[in-house]
Amino acid sequence: QKIDTSSRRLRLFNKSDYGYYRILNPRKVRDIYPSDSSIPFGVFSKGFSGNLHTLKRYEKLFNNEQLGLEAFRVRQIVKNDVPTKYLATKQYVKKKHIKLIKRFKNNIFEKKFDQKSLFDDIDSLL
């Protein structure tokens, strides 16, 4: 099958599994569209036939919104629960990142961390 090289494609973040999904068809947006998004679903379906700049802007807004919502959730989990258990349920989280988060939480709550190693750990996540 030919690879679609159309510029009318999206790459949307799914916080259920931490995957980024390439969307080539507006009907596929529904497969990963979350109920908690404030970005109207219709902008994606209409965007495939409308202005490309507007479609890309909504893609960025959607991804930033979903990443922000998940960052808030993870913050609460790190503070009150076991983040490794939560992150292990995410299909696209690498095991090395789960280990880093565990070490990060241990270091923060034991107050025995060296700031440089903490930022090195964070850098390796990115």
Side-chain angles (χ1 to χ4, degrees), residues 20-103:
Y20 276 90
Y21 290 82
R22 183 172 293 140
I23 308 292
L24 303 171
N25 177 323
R27 290 183 302 266
K28 296 290 183 181
V29 173
R30 190 169 303 281
D31 293 343
I32 67 157
Y33 189 81
S35 61
D36 63 354
S37 179
S38 63
I39 309 297
F41 175 76
V43 300
F44 294 114
S45 57
K46 292 175 189 169
F48 276 86
S49 60
N51 183 317
L52 179 62
H53 177 71
T54 302
L55 180 65
K56 292 298 183 179
R57 187 176 57 151
Y58 280 118
E59 172 190 49
K60 288 179 184 176
L61 286 170
F62 175 86
N63 287 336
N64 285 331
E65 172 196 55
Q66 293 302 302
L67 288 164
L69 290 170
E70 187 60 14
F72 182 76
R73 181 178 299 143
V74 169
R75 179 179 175 215
Q76 297 304 316
I77 290 168
V78 166
K79 187 176 178 182
N80 303 321
D81 204 357
V82 182
T84 53
K85 248 198 295 191
Y86 176 74
L87 294 173
T89 67
K90 306 298 184 177
Q91 179 180 353
Y92 295 105
V93 173
K94 295 177 182 175
K95 290 186 190 304
K96 71 178 186 176
H97 292 155
I98 293 173
K99 287 179 186 177
L100 286 171
I101 290 292
K102 182 178 181 180
R103 189 166 68 203

Side-chain angles (χ1 to χ4, degrees), residues 9-27:
R9 63 179 178 258
L10 299 172
R11 187 171 174 261
L12 299 179
F13 176 72
N14 182 346
K15 65 184 178 296
S16 299
D17 62 10
Y18 283 22
Y20 276 90
Y21 290 82
R22 183 172 293 140
I23 308 292
L24 303 171
N25 177 323
R27 290 183 302 266

Side-chain angles (χ1 to χ4, degrees), residues 110-126:
E110 290 176 7
K111 307 254 189 252
K112 296 179 185 174
F113 65 93
D114 140 18
Q115 191 173 8
K116 183 185 179 325
S117 76
L118 177 65
F119 287 115
D120 289 344
D121 286 350
I122 292 170
D123 285 341
S124 70
L125 285 172
L126 305 173

